[in-house]
Coordinates of all heavy atoms in Angstrom, one line a residue:
M287 N -162.1 -52.4 -64.7 CA -161.8 -52.3 -63.2 C -160.7 -53.2 -62.8 O -159.9 -53.0 -61.9 CB -163.1 -52.6 -62.5 CG -164.2 -51.5 -62.6 SD -163.5 -49.9 -62.0 CE -163.8 -50.2 -60.2
K288 N -160.7 -54.3 -63.5 CA -159.7 -55.3 -63.2 C -158.2 -54.8 -63.3 O -157.4 -55.1 -62.4 CB -159.9 -56.6 -64.1 CG -159.1 -57.8 -63.6 CD -159.3 -59.0 -64.5 CE -158.5 -60.1 -64.2 NZ -157.0 -59.9 -64.3
T289 N -158.0 -54.1 -64.4 CA -156.7 -53.6 -64.6 C -156.3 -52.6 -63.5 O -155.2 -52.7 -63.0 CB -156.7 -52.8 -66.0 OG1 -157.4 -53.6 -66.9 CG2 -155.2 -52.6 -66.4
L290 N -157.2 -51.8 -63.1 CA -156.9 -50.8 -62.1 C -156.5 -51.5 -60.8 O -155.6 -51.2 -60.1 CB -158.1 -49.9 -61.9 CG -157.8 -48.6 -61.1 CD1 -156.9 -47.7 -61.8 CD2 -159.1 -48.0 -60.7
W291 N -157.3 -52.5 -60.5 CA -157.0 -53.3 -59.2 C -155.6 -53.9 -59.2 O -154.9 -53.8 -58.3 CB -158.1 -54.3 -59.1 CG -158.1 -55.1 -57.8 CD1 -158.6 -54.6 -56.6 CD2 -157.5 -56.3 -57.5 NE1 -158.3 -55.5 -55.6 CE2 -157.6 -56.6 -56.2 CE3 -156.8 -57.2 -58.3 CZ2 -157.1 -57.8 -55.6 CZ3 -156.3 -58.4 -57.8 CH2 -156.5 -58.7 -56.4
D292 N -155.3 -54.5 -60.4 CA -154.0 -55.2 -60.5 C -152.9 -54.2 -60.3 O -151.9 -54.5 -59.6 CB -153.9 -55.8 -61.9 CG -154.5 -57.2 -62.0 OD1 -154.9 -57.7 -60.9 OD2 -154.6 -57.8 -63.1
E293 N -153.1 -53.1 -60.9 CA -152.1 -52.0 -60.8 C -151.8 -51.6 -59.3 O -150.7 -51.5 -58.9 CB -152.5 -50.8 -61.6 CG -151.3 -50.0 -62.1 CD -151.7 -49.0 -63.1 OE1 -152.1 -47.9 -62.7 OE2 -151.7 -49.3 -64.3
T294 N -152.9 -51.5 -58.6 CA -152.8 -51.1 -57.2 C -152.0 -52.2 -56.4 O -151.1 -51.8 -55.7 CB -154.2 -51.0 -56.6 OG1 -155.0 -50.2 -57.5 CG2 -154.1 -50.2 -55.3
V295 N -152.3 -53.4 -56.7 CA -151.7 -54.5 -56.0 C -150.2 -54.5 -56.3 O -149.3 -54.6 -55.4 CB -152.3 -55.9 -56.4 CG1 -151.4 -57.0 -55.8 CG2 -153.7 -55.9 -55.9
H296 N -149.9 -54.3 -57.6 CA -148.5 -54.3 -58.0 C -147.7 -53.2 -57.3 O -146.6 -53.4 -56.9 CB -148.4 -54.2 -59.5 CG -148.6 -55.5 -60.2 ND1 -147.7 -56.6 -60.1 CD2 -149.6 -56.0 -61.0 CE1 -148.1 -57.6 -60.8 NE2 -149.3 -57.3 -61.3
R297 N -148.4 -52.1 -57.3 CA -147.7 -50.9 -56.7 C -147.4 -51.1 -55.2 O -146.4 -50.8 -54.7 CB -148.6 -49.7 -56.9 CG -148.3 -49.1 -58.2 CD -148.9 -47.7 -58.4 NE -148.7 -47.2 -59.7 CZ -149.4 -46.2 -60.2 NH1 -150.3 -45.6 -59.5 NH2 -149.2 -45.8 -61.4
R298 N -148.4 -51.7 -54.6 CA -148.3 -52.0 -53.1 C -147.1 -52.9 -52.9 O -146.2 -52.7 -52.1 CB -149.5 -52.8 -52.6 CG -150.7 -51.9 -52.4 CD -150.9 -51.6 -50.9 NE -151.8 -50.5 -50.7 CZ -153.1 -50.6 -50.6 NH1 -153.7 -51.8 -50.8 NH2 -153.9 -49.5 -50.4
K299 N -147.0 -53.9 -53.8 CA -145.9 -54.9 -53.7 C -144.5 -54.2 -53.9 O -143.6 -54.5 -53.2 CB -146.0 -56.0 -54.7 CG -146.9 -57.1 -54.2 CD -147.0 -58.3 -55.1 CE -147.8 -59.4 -54.6 NZ -148.0 -60.5 -55.6
R300 N -144.5 -53.4 -54.9 CA -143.2 -52.7 -55.2 C -142.8 -51.8 -54.1 O -141.6 -51.6 -53.9 CB -143.4 -51.8 -56.5 CG -143.4 -52.7 -57.7 CD -142.4 -52.1 -58.7 NE -142.3 -53.1 -59.8 CZ -142.3 -52.7 -61.1 NH1 -142.5 -51.5 -61.4 NH2 -142.2 -53.6 -62.0
R301 N -143.8 -51.2 -53.4 CA -143.4 -50.2 -52.3 C -143.0 -50.9 -51.0 O -142.7 -50.3 -50.1 CB -144.6 -49.3 -52.1 CG -144.9 -48.4 -53.3 CD -145.9 -47.4 -52.9 NE -145.2 -46.1 -52.5 CZ -145.8 -45.1 -52.0 NH1 -147.1 -45.1 -51.8 NH2 -145.2 -44.0 -51.7
R302 N -143.0 -52.2 -51.1 CA -142.6 -53.0 -49.9 C -141.3 -52.5 -49.4 O -140.3 -52.3 -50.2 CB -142.6 -54.5 -50.2 CG -142.4 -55.4 -49.0 CD -142.3 -56.8 -49.5 NE -141.2 -57.0 -50.4 CZ -140.9 -58.1 -50.9 NH1 -141.6 -59.2 -50.7 NH2 -139.8 -58.3 -51.7
K303 N -141.2 -52.3 -48.2 CA -139.9 -51.8 -47.6 C -138.8 -52.8 -47.9 O -138.9 -54.0 -47.6 CB -140.1 -51.7 -46.1 CG -139.8 -50.3 -45.6 CD -139.9 -50.3 -44.1 CE -139.6 -48.9 -43.5 NZ -139.6 -48.9 -42.0
R304 N -137.8 -52.2 -48.4 CA -136.6 -53.0 -48.7 C -135.7 -53.1 -47.4 O -135.5 -52.1 -46.7 CB -135.8 -52.5 -49.8 CG -136.4 -52.9 -51.2 CD -135.7 -52.1 -52.3 NE -134.3 -52.5 -52.4 CZ -133.4 -51.8 -53.1 NH1 -133.8 -50.7 -53.7 NH2 -132.2 -52.3 -53.2
N305 N -135.2 -54.2 -47.2 CA -134.3 -54.4 -46.1 C -132.9 -53.9 -46.4 O -132.1 -54.7 -46.8 CB -134.3 -55.9 -45.7 CG -133.6 -56.1 -44.3 OD1 -133.4 -55.1 -43.6 ND2 -133.2 -57.3 -44.1
V306 N -132.7 -52.6 -46.2 CA -131.5 -52.0 -46.6 C -130.5 -52.0 -45.4 O -130.4 -51.0 -44.7 CB -131.6 -50.6 -47.2 CG1 -130.4 -50.2 -48.0 CG2 -132.8 -50.6 -48.2
S307 N -129.9 -53.1 -45.1 CA -128.9 -53.1 -44.1 C -127.6 -52.8 -44.7 O -127.2 -53.4 -45.7 CB -129.0 -54.4 -43.3 OG -128.8 -55.5 -44.3
I308 N -126.9 -51.9 -44.0 CA -125.5 -51.6 -44.6 C -124.6 -52.8 -44.3 O -124.4 -53.2 -43.2 CB -125.0 -50.3 -43.9 CG1 -125.9 -49.1 -44.2 CG2 -123.6 -50.0 -44.4 CD1 -125.8 -48.0 -43.2
L309 N -124.0 -53.2 -45.4 CA -123.1 -54.3 -45.3 C -121.7 -53.8 -44.9 O -121.1 -53.0 -45.5 CB -123.0 -55.1 -46.6 CG -124.2 -55.8 -47.1 CD1 -124.0 -56.2 -48.5 CD2 -124.4 -57.1 -46.2
I310 N -121.3 -54.3 -43.8 CA -120.0 -53.9 -43.3 C -118.9 -54.8 -43.9 O -118.9 -56.0 -43.7 CB -119.9 -53.9 -41.8 CG1 -120.9 -53.0 -41.2 CG2 -118.4 -53.6 -41.3 CD1 -121.3 -53.3 -39.8
S311 N -118.2 -54.3 -44.8 CA -117.2 -55.1 -45.5 C -116.0 -55.4 -44.5 O -115.5 -54.5 -43.9 CB -116.7 -54.4 -46.8 OG -116.0 -53.2 -46.4
Q312 N -115.7 -56.6 -44.5 CA -114.6 -57.0 -43.6 C -113.3 -57.1 -44.3 O -112.6 -58.1 -44.3 CB -115.0 -58.4 -43.0 CG -116.3 -58.3 -42.2 CD -116.2 -58.9 -40.8 OE1 -115.4 -59.8 -40.5 NE2 -116.9 -58.3 -39.9
K313 N -112.9 -56.0 -44.9 CA -111.6 -56.0 -45.6 C -110.5 -55.9 -44.6 O -110.7 -55.3 -43.5 CB -111.6 -54.8 -46.5 CG -112.2 -55.0 -47.8 CD -112.0 -53.8 -48.7 CE -112.7 -53.9 -50.0 NZ -112.7 -52.7 -50.8
P314 N -109.4 -56.6 -44.9 CA -108.3 -56.5 -44.0 C -107.8 -55.1 -43.8 O -107.8 -54.3 -44.8 CB -107.2 -57.4 -44.6 CG -107.6 -57.6 -46.0 CD -109.1 -57.4 -46.1
Y315 N -107.3 -54.8 -42.7 CA -106.8 -53.4 -42.4 C -105.6 -53.1 -43.4 O -104.7 -53.9 -43.6 CB -106.2 -53.4 -41.0 CG -105.5 -52.1 -40.7 CD1 -106.3 -50.9 -40.5 CD2 -104.2 -52.0 -40.5 CE1 -105.6 -49.7 -40.2 CE2 -103.5 -50.9 -40.2 CZ -104.2 -49.7 -40.1 OH -103.6 -48.5 -39.8
S316 N -105.7 -51.9 -44.0 CA -104.7 -51.5 -45.0 C -104.1 -50.2 -44.5 O -104.7 -49.3 -44.2 CB -105.4 -51.3 -46.3 OG -104.5 -50.8 -47.2
I317 N -102.7 -50.3 -44.5 CA -102.0 -49.1 -44.0 C -102.1 -48.0 -45.0 O -102.3 -46.8 -44.7 CB -100.5 -49.5 -43.7 CG1 -100.4 -50.6 -42.6 CG2 -99.7 -48.3 -43.3 CD1 -99.2 -51.3 -42.6
T318 N -101.9 -48.3 -46.3 CA -101.9 -47.3 -47.3 C -103.3 -46.9 -47.8 O -103.4 -46.0 -48.5 CB -101.0 -47.7 -48.5 OG1 -101.6 -49.0 -49.0 CG2 -99.6 -47.9 -48.1
G319 N -104.3 -47.7 -47.4 CA -105.6 -47.5 -47.8 C -105.9 -47.9 -49.2 O -107.0 -47.6 -49.7
T320 N -105.0 -48.5 -49.9 CA -105.2 -49.0 -51.2 C -105.5 -50.4 -51.3 O -105.9 -50.9 -52.4 CB -103.9 -48.7 -52.1 OG1 -102.8 -49.4 -51.5 CG2 -103.6 -47.2 -52.1
G321 N -105.3 -51.2 -50.2 CA -105.4 -52.6 -50.3 C -104.3 -53.3 -51.0 O -104.3 -54.4 -51.3
N322 N -103.2 -52.5 -51.2 CA -102.0 -53.1 -51.9 C -100.8 -52.7 -51.2 O -99.8 -52.2 -51.7 CB -102.0 -52.5 -53.4 CG -100.9 -53.2 -54.2 OD1 -100.6 -54.4 -53.9 ND2 -100.4 -52.5 -55.1
D323 N -100.8 -52.8 -49.8 CA -99.7 -52.5 -49.0 C -98.4 -53.2 -49.5 O -97.3 -52.6 -49.5 CB -99.9 -52.8 -47.6 CG -101.1 -52.0 -47.0 OD1 -101.4 -51.0 -47.6 OD2 -101.6 -52.4 -46.0
C324 N -98.5 -54.5 -49.8 CA -97.4 -55.3 -50.1 C -96.6 -54.7 -51.3 O -95.4 -54.7 -51.4 CB -97.8 -56.7 -50.4 SG -98.5 -57.5 -48.9
G325 N -97.4 -54.2 -52.3 CA -96.8 -53.7 -53.5 C -96.0 -52.4 -53.2 O -95.2 -52.0 -54.0
I326 N -96.4 -51.7 -52.2 CA -95.8 -50.4 -51.9 C -94.8 -50.5 -50.8 O -93.7 -50.0 -51.0 CB -97.0 -49.4 -51.5 CG1 -97.9 -49.2 -52.7 CG2 -96.4 -48.0 -51.0 CD1 -99.3 -48.7 -52.3
I327 N -95.1 -51.1 -49.7 CA -94.2 -51.1 -48.6 C -93.5 -52.5 -48.4 O -92.8 -52.7 -47.5 CB -94.8 -50.6 -47.2 CG1 -96.0 -51.5 -46.9 CG2 -95.3 -49.2 -47.3 CD1 -96.6 -51.3 -45.5
G328 N -93.9 -53.4 -49.2 CA -93.3 -54.7 -49.1 C -94.1 -55.7 -48.3 O -95.0 -55.3 -47.6
H329 N -93.8 -56.9 -48.4 CA -94.6 -58.0 -47.7 C -94.2 -58.0 -46.2 O -93.1 -57.7 -45.8 CB -94.3 -59.3 -48.3 CG -94.8 -59.4 -49.8 ND1 -96.1 -59.5 -50.1 CD2 -94.0 -59.4 -50.9 CE1 -96.1 -59.6 -51.4 NE2 -94.9 -59.5 -52.0
T330 N -95.2 -58.4 -45.5 CA -95.0 -58.6 -44.0 C -94.9 -60.1 -43.8 O -95.9 -60.8 -43.8 CB -96.2 -58.1 -43.2 OG1 -96.5 -56.7 -43.6 CG2 -95.9 -58.1 -41.7
L331 N -93.6 -60.5 -43.7 CA -93.4 -62.0 -43.7 C -93.6 -62.6 -42.3 O -93.4 -62.0 -41.3 CB -92.0 -62.3 -44.1 CG -91.6 -61.7 -45.5 CD1 -90.1 -62.1 -45.9 CD2 -92.5 -62.2 -46.6
N332 N -94.1 -63.9 -42.4 CA -94.2 -64.7 -41.2 C -92.8 -65.2 -40.9 O -91.8 -64.9 -41.6 CB -95.2 -65.8 -41.5 CG -96.6 -65.4 -41.4 OD1 -97.0 -64.9 -40.4 ND2 -97.4 -65.6 -42.4
A333 N -92.7 -66.1 -39.9 CA -91.4 -66.7 -39.6 C -91.0 -67.7 -40.7 O -91.8 -68.3 -41.3 CB -91.6 -67.4 -38.2
W334 N -89.7 -67.7 -40.9 CA -89.2 -68.6 -41.9 C -89.2 -70.0 -41.4 O -88.9 -70.3 -40.3 CB -87.7 -68.2 -42.3 CG -87.6 -66.9 -42.9 CD1 -87.5 -65.7 -42.3 CD2 -87.7 -66.6 -44.4 NE1 -87.4 -64.7 -43.3 CE2 -87.6 -65.2 -44.5 CE3 -87.8 -67.5 -45.5 CZ2 -87.6 -64.6 -45.8 CZ3 -87.8 -66.9 -46.7 CH2 -87.7 -65.5 -46.9
D335 N -89.6 -70.9 -42.3 CA -89.5 -72.3 -41.9 C -88.2 -72.9 -42.2 O -87.3 -72.2 -42.8 CB -90.7 -73.2 -42.4 CG -90.6 -73.3 -44.0 OD1 -89.5 -73.1 -44.5 OD2 -91.6 -73.7 -44.6
L336 N -87.9 -74.2 -41.9 CA -86.6 -74.8 -42.0 C -86.2 -74.9 -43.4 O -85.0 -74.9 -43.7 CB -86.6 -76.2 -41.3 CG -86.8 -76.1 -39.8 CD1 -86.9 -77.5 -39.3 CD2 -85.6 -75.4 -39.1
S337 N -87.1 -75.0 -44.4 CA -86.7 -75.1 -45.8 C -86.5 -73.8 -46.5 O -86.2 -73.7 -47.7 CB -87.8 -75.9 -46.5 OG -89.1 -75.3 -46.3
G338 N -86.6 -72.7 -45.7 CA -86.3 -71.4 -46.3 C -87.5 -70.8 -46.9 O -87.4 -70.0 -47.9
C339 N -88.7 -71.1 -46.4 CA -89.9 -70.6 -47.0 C -90.8 -69.9 -45.9 O -90.6 -70.2 -44.8 CB -90.8 -71.7 -47.6 SG -89.9 -72.6 -48.9
T340 N -91.6 -69.0 -46.4 CA -92.5 -68.4 -45.5 C -93.7 -67.8 -46.3 O -93.7 -68.1 -47.5 CB -91.8 -67.2 -44.7 OG1 -92.7 -66.7 -43.7 CG2 -91.3 -66.1 -45.6
T341 N -94.6 -67.1 -45.7 CA -95.7 -66.5 -46.4 C -95.9 -65.1 -45.9 O -95.3 -64.7 -44.9 CB -97.0 -67.3 -46.1 OG1 -97.2 -67.4 -44.7 CG2 -97.0 -68.7 -46.7
C342 N -96.6 -64.3 -46.7 CA -96.9 -63.0 -46.3 C -98.1 -63.0 -45.4 O -99.2 -63.5 -45.8 CB -97.1 -62.1 -47.5 SG -97.6 -60.4 -47.1
M343 N -98.1 -62.3 -44.3 CA -99.2 -62.2 -43.4 C -100.4 -61.4 -44.0 O -101.5 -61.7 -43.7 CB -98.8 -61.4 -42.1 CG -98.1 -62.3 -41.1 SD -97.8 -61.4 -39.6 CE -96.0 -61.2 -39.6
D344 N -100.1 -60.5 -44.9 CA -101.1 -59.6 -45.5 C -101.8 -60.3 -46.7 O -103.0 -60.4 -46.7 CB -100.5 -58.3 -45.9 CG -100.1 -57.5 -44.6 OD1 -100.7 -57.7 -43.6 OD2 -99.2 -56.7 -44.7
C345 N -101.0 -60.6 -47.7 CA -101.6 -61.1 -48.9 C -101.5 -62.6 -49.1 O -101.9 -63.2 -50.1 CB -101.0 -60.4 -50.1 SG -99.2 -60.8 -50.4
K346 N -100.9 -63.3 -48.1 CA -100.8 -64.7 -48.1 C -100.0 -65.3 -49.2 O -100.0 -66.5 -49.5 CB -102.2 -65.4 -48.1 CG -103.2 -64.8 -47.1 CD -102.8 -65.1 -45.7 CE -103.9 -64.5 -44.7 NZ -103.3 -63.9 -43.5
V347 N -99.2 -64.5 -49.9 CA -98.4 -65.0 -51.0 C -97.3 -65.9 -50.4 O -96.8 -65.7 -49.3 CB -97.8 -63.8 -51.8 CG1 -96.6 -63.1 -51.0 CG2 -97.4 -64.2 -53.2
K348 N -96.9 -66.9 -51.2 CA -95.8 -67.7 -50.8 C -94.5 -67.1 -51.1 O -94.3 -66.5 -52.2 CB -96.0 -69.1 -51.4 CG -97.1 -69.9 -50.9 CD -97.0 -71.3 -51.3 CE -98.2 -72.1 -50.6 NZ -99.5 -71.7 -51.0
V349 N -93.6 -67.2 -50.2 CA -92.3 -66.6 -50.3 C -91.2 -67.6 -50.0 O -91.4 -68.5 -49.2 CB -92.1 -65.4 -49.3 CG1 -90.8 -64.8 -49.3 CG2 -93.2 -64.3 -49.5
F350 N -90.1 -67.5 -50.8 CA -89.0 -68.4 -50.5 C -87.7 -67.6 -50.5 O -87.6 -66.6 -51.2 CB -88.9 -69.6 -51.5 CG -88.5 -69.2 -52.9 CD1 -87.2 -69.4 -53.3 CD2 -89.4 -68.7 -53.7 CE1 -86.8 -69.0 -54.6 CE2 -89.0 -68.3 -55.0 CZ -87.7 -68.5 -55.5
C351 N -86.7 -68.1 -49.8 CA -85.4 -67.4 -49.9 C -84.5 -68.1 -50.9 O -84.2 -69.3 -50.7 CB -84.7 -67.4 -48.5 SG -83.0 -66.9 -48.5
P352 N -84.1 -67.4 -51.9 CA -83.2 -68.0 -52.9 C -81.9 -68.4 -52.4 O -81.2 -69.2 -53.1 CB -83.1 -66.9 -54.0 CG -83.5 -65.7 -53.4 CD -84.4 -66.0 -52.2
G353 N -81.5 -67.9 -51.2 CA -80.3 -68.3 -50.6 C -80.4 -69.7 -49.9 O -79.4 -70.4 -49.7
C354 N -81.6 -70.0 -49.4 CA -81.8 -71.2 -48.7 C -82.3 -72.3 -49.6 O -81.9 -73.5 -49.4 CB -82.9 -71.0 -47.7 SG -82.5 -69.9 -46.4
T355 N -83.0 -72.0 -50.6 CA -83.6 -73.0 -51.5 C -83.7 -72.4 -52.9 O -84.0 -71.3 -53.1 CB -85.0 -73.5 -51.0 OG1 -85.5 -74.5 -51.9 CG2 -86.0 -72.3 -50.9
P356 N -83.3 -73.2 -54.0 CA -83.3 -72.7 -55.3 C -84.7 -72.3 -55.8 O -84.9 -71.3 -56.5 CB -82.8 -73.8 -56.2 CG -82.8 -75.0 -55.4 CD -82.8 -74.6 -53.9
K357 N -85.7 -73.0 -55.3 CA -87.1 -72.6 -55.6 C -88.0 -73.1 -54.6 O -87.7 -74.1 -53.8 CB -87.5 -73.1 -57.0 CG -87.7 -74.5 -57.2 CD -88.1 -74.8 -58.6 CE -88.4 -76.3 -58.8 NZ -89.8 -76.7 -58.5
H358 N -89.2 -72.5 -54.5 CA -90.2 -73.0 -53.5 C -90.6 -74.4 -53.8 O -91.0 -74.7 -54.9 CB -91.4 -72.1 -53.6 CG -92.3 -72.2 -52.3 ND1 -93.1 -73.2 -52.1 CD2 -92.4 -71.4 -51.3 CE1 -93.8 -73.1 -51.0 NE2 -93.4 -71.9 -50.4
P359 N -90.5 -75.3 -52.8 CA -90.8 -76.7 -53.1 C -92.3 -77.0 -53.5 O -92.5 -78.0 -54.1 CB -90.5 -77.4 -51.7 CG -90.4 -76.3 -50.7 CD -90.1 -75.0 -51.4
Q360 N -93.2 -76.2 -53.1 CA -94.6 -76.4 -53.4 C -95.2 -75.5 -54.4 O -96.1 -75.9 -55.2 CB -95.5 -76.3 -52.1 CG -95.4 -77.5 -51.2 CD -94.6 -77.2 -50.0 OE1 -94.7 -76.1 -49.4 NE2 -93.7 -78.1 -49.5
D361 N -94.7 -74.3 -54.5 CA -95.4 -73.3 -55.3 C -94.4 -72.6 -56.3 O -93.5 -71.9 -55.9 CB -96.0 -72.2 -54.4 CG -97.1 -71.4 -55.1 OD1 -97.0 -71.4 -56.4 OD2 -97.9 -70.8 -54.5
E362 N -94.7 -72.8 -57.6 CA -93.9 -72.3 -58.7 C -94.0 -70.7 -58.7 O -93.1 -70.1 -59.2 CB -94.4 -72.8 -60.0 CG -94.1 -74.3 -60.2 CD -92.7 -74.5 -60.9 OE1 -92.3 -73.8 -61.7 OE2 -92.0 -75.5 -60.4
T363 N -95.1 -70.2 -58.2 CA -95.3 -68.8 -58.3 C -94.9 -68.0 -57.1 O -95.0 -66.8 -57.0 CB -96.8 -68.5 -58.5 OG1 -97.6 -69.0 -57.4 CG2 -97.4 -69.1 -59.8
A364 N -94.2 -68.7 -56.2 CA -93.7 -68.1 -54.9 C -92.7 -67.0 -55.3 O -92.0 -67.1 -56.3 CB -93.1 -69.1 -54.0
I365 N -92.7 -66.0 -54.5 CA -91.8 -64.9 -54.8 C -90.5 -65.0 -54.0 O -90.5 -65.3 -52.8 CB -92.4 -63.5 -54.6 CG1 -92.9 -63.4 -53.2 CG2 -93.5 -63.2 -55.6 CD1 -93.1 -61.9 -52.7
P366 N -89.3 -64.7 -54.6 CA -88.1 -64.8 -53.9 C -87.8 -63.6 -53.0 O -87.8 -62.4 -53.5 CB -87.0 -64.9 -55.0 CG -87.7 -64.2 -56.2 CD -89.2 -64.3 -56.0
V367 N -87.5 -63.8 -51.8 CA -87.2 -62.8 -50.8 C -86.1 -63.3 -49.9 O -86.2 -64.4 -49.4 CB -88.4 -62.3 -49.9 CG1 -87.9 -61.3 -48.9 CG2 -89.5 -61.7 -50.8
L368 N -85.0 -62.6 -49.8 CA -83.9 -63.2 -49.0 C -84.3 -63.2 -47.5 O -84.9 -62.2 -47.0 CB -82.6 -62.3 -49.1 CG -81.8 -62.5 -50.4 CD1 -80.8 -61.4 -50.5 CD2 -81.2 -63.9 -50.5
C369 N -84.0 -64.3 -46.8 CA -84.3 -64.3 -45.4 C -83.3 -63.4 -44.6 O -82.3 -63.0 -45.2 CB -84.2 -65.8 -44.9 SG -82.6 -66.5 -44.9
E370 N -83.6 -63.2 -43.4 CA -82.7 -62.3 -42.6 C -81.3 -62.7 -42.7 O -80.4 -61.9 -42.8 CB -83.2 -62.3 -41.1 CG -84.4 -61.5 -40.9 CD -85.5 -62.2 -40.0 OE1 -85.1 -62.8 -39.0 OE2 -86.7 -62.3 -40.4
R371 N -81.0 -64.0 -42.6 CA -79.7 -64.5 -42.6 C -79.0 -64.2 -43.9 O -77.8 -63.7 -44.0 CB -79.7 -66.1 -42.4 CG -78.3 -66.7 -42.1 CD -78.5 -68.0 -41.4 NE -79.4 -68.9 -42.2 CZ -78.9 -69.8 -43.1 NH1 -77.6 -69.8 -43.4 NH2 -79.7 -70.6 -43.7
H372 N -79.6 -64.5 -45.0 CA -79.0 -64.3 -46.3 C -79.0 -62.8 -46.7 O -78.1 -62.4 -47.4 CB -79.7 -65.1 -47.4 CG -79.4 -66.6 -47.3 ND1 -80.2 -67.5 -46.9 CD2 -78.2 -67.2 -47.6 CE1 -79.6 -68.7 -46.9 NE2 -78.4 -68.5 -47.4
E373 N -80.0 -62.1 -46.2 CA -80.0 -60.7 -46.4 C -78.8 -60.1 -45.7 O -78.1 -59.2 -46.2 CB -81.3 -60.1 -45.9 CG -81.4 -58.5 -46.0 CD -81.4 -58.0 -47.4 OE1 -82.0 -58.6 -48.3 OE2 -80.6 -57.1 -47.7
H374 N -78.5 -60.5 -44.5 CA -77.4 -60.1 -43.7 C -76.1 -60.4 -44.4 O -75.2 -59.6 -44.5 CB -77.5 -60.7 -42.3 CG -76.3 -60.3 -41.4 ND1 -76.2 -59.0 -40.9 CD2 -75.3 -61.0 -41.0 CE1 -75.1 -59.0 -40.2 NE2 -74.5 -60.2 -40.2
E375 N -76.0 -61.7 -44.9 CA -74.7 -62.1 -45.6 C -74.4 -61.2 -46.8 O -73.3 -60.8 -47.0 CB -74.9 -63.6 -46.0 CG -74.5 -64.6 -45.0 CD -74.7 -66.0 -45.4 OE1 -74.7 -66.2 -46.6 OE2 -74.9 -66.9 -44.6
R376 N -75.5 -60.9 -47.5 CA -75.3 -60.1 -48.7 C -74.8 -58.7 -48.3 O -73.9 -58.1 -49.0 CB -76.7 -60.0 -49.4 CG -76.5 -59.5 -50.9 CD -77.8 -59.4 -51.6 NE -78.7 -58.4 -50.9 CZ -79.7 -57.8 -51.5 NH1 -80.1 -58.2 -52.7 NH2 -80.4 -56.9 -50.8
T377 N -75.4 -58.2 -47.3 CA -75.0 -56.8 -46.8 C -73.5 -56.8 -46.4 O -72.8 -55.9 -46.7 CB -75.9 -56.4 -45.6 OG1 -77.2 -56.7 -45.9 CG2 -75.8 -54.9 -45.4
V378 N -73.1 -57.9 -45.7 CA -71.7 -58.0 -45.2 C -70.8 -58.0 -46.4 O -69.8 -57.3 -46.4 CB -71.6 -59.2 -44.3 CG1 -70.1 -59.5 -43.9 CG2 -72.4 -59.0 -43.0
K379 N -71.1 -58.9 -47.4 CA -70.3 -59.0 -48.5 C -70.1 -57.7 -49.3 O -69.0 -57.3 -49.6 CB -70.9 -60.0 -49.5 CG -70.4 -61.5 -49.3 CD -71.0 -62.4 -50.3 CE -71.0 -63.8 -49.8 NZ -71.9 -64.7 -50.6
H380 N -71.2 -57.0 -49.4 CA -71.2 -55.7 -50.1 C -70.3 -54.7 -49.3 O -69.5 -53.9 -49.9 CB -72.6 -55.1 -50.2 CG -73.2 -55.6 -51.5 ND1 -73.2 -54.9 -52.7 CD2 -73.9 -56.7 -51.8 CE1 -73.8 -55.6 -53.6 NE2 -74.3 -56.7 -53.1
A381 N -70.4 -54.8 -48.0 CA -69.7 -53.9 -47.1 C -68.1 -54.1 -47.2 O -67.3 -53.2 -47.1 CB -70.1 -54.0 -45.7
A382 N -67.8 -55.4 -47.5 CA -66.4 -55.8 -47.5 C -65.7 -55.3 -48.7 O -64.5 -55.1 -48.7 CB -66.3 -57.3 -47.4
I383 N -66.5 -55.1 -49.8 CA -65.8 -54.7 -51.1 C -65.4 -53.2 -51.1 O -66.0 -52.4 -50.5 CB -66.8 -55.0 -52.3 CG1 -67.0 -56.5 -52.4 CG2 -66.2 -54.4 -53.6 CD1 -68.2 -56.9 -53.3
Ligands
LIG253 ZN1 -97.8 -59.5 -49.1
LIG254 ZN1 -82.0 -67.8 -46.7

């Protein structure tokens, strides 16, 4: 009899209602729906600081302008992106040729 009783108790416990609340994932809004907007449409840069560095608003990657600074002063892994000024200069030079 003992075994049967135990089984009943165990079953009761197992059948306990699980608190299945749907977890709303707070993923950042993605335009392409892949979560990799930056790789597809490019980074969304913040304002450039005085040393020629900025960050991406979406993926928070560090960005530096190779025209302003030879390399990012803090981060070796920062990616090179020309700032508006240097991008413009490059375009003008190309147009002149
Ligand atoms: Zn990015
Ligand atoms: Zn620059």
Side-chain angles (χ1 to χ4, degrees):
M287 291 300 277
K288 192 182 174 295
T289 317
L290 193 70
W291 185 83
D292 276 354
E293 210 168 86
T294 316
V295 171
H296 280 292
R297 278 194 183 162
R298 281 256 165 86
K299 276 187 177 172
R300 283 233 172 132
R301 294 192 95 188
R302 190 182 57 178
K303 234 184 180 182
R304 280 172 65 197
N305 188 17
V306 196
S307 56
I308 299 157
L309 291 168
I310 300 155
S311 61
Q312 301 233 325
K313 275 185 184 172
Y315 173 72
S316 174
I317 298 161
T318 57
T320 60
N322 188 30
D323 295 344
C324 296
I326 296 159
I327 59 170
H329 297 284
T330 310
L331 302 182
N332 282 304
W334 292 90
D335 68 16
L336 293 174
S337 55
C339 301
T340 187
T341 52
C342 173
M343 279 187 247
D344 292 332
C345 65
K346 313 290 180 222
V347 77
K348 290 197 173 62
V349 176
F350 72 98
C351 169
C354 294
T355 180
K357 70 182 185 81
H358 196 283
Q360 283 107 40
D361 197 339
E362 291 270 321
T363 60
I365 56 159
V367 177
L368 285 171
C369 70
E370 283 134 45
R371 192 161 54 90
H372 284 110
E373 179 62 45
H374 178 70
E375 274 179 23
R376 198 181 63 161
T377 317
V378 171
K379 267 184 205 163
H380 272 267
I383 294 165

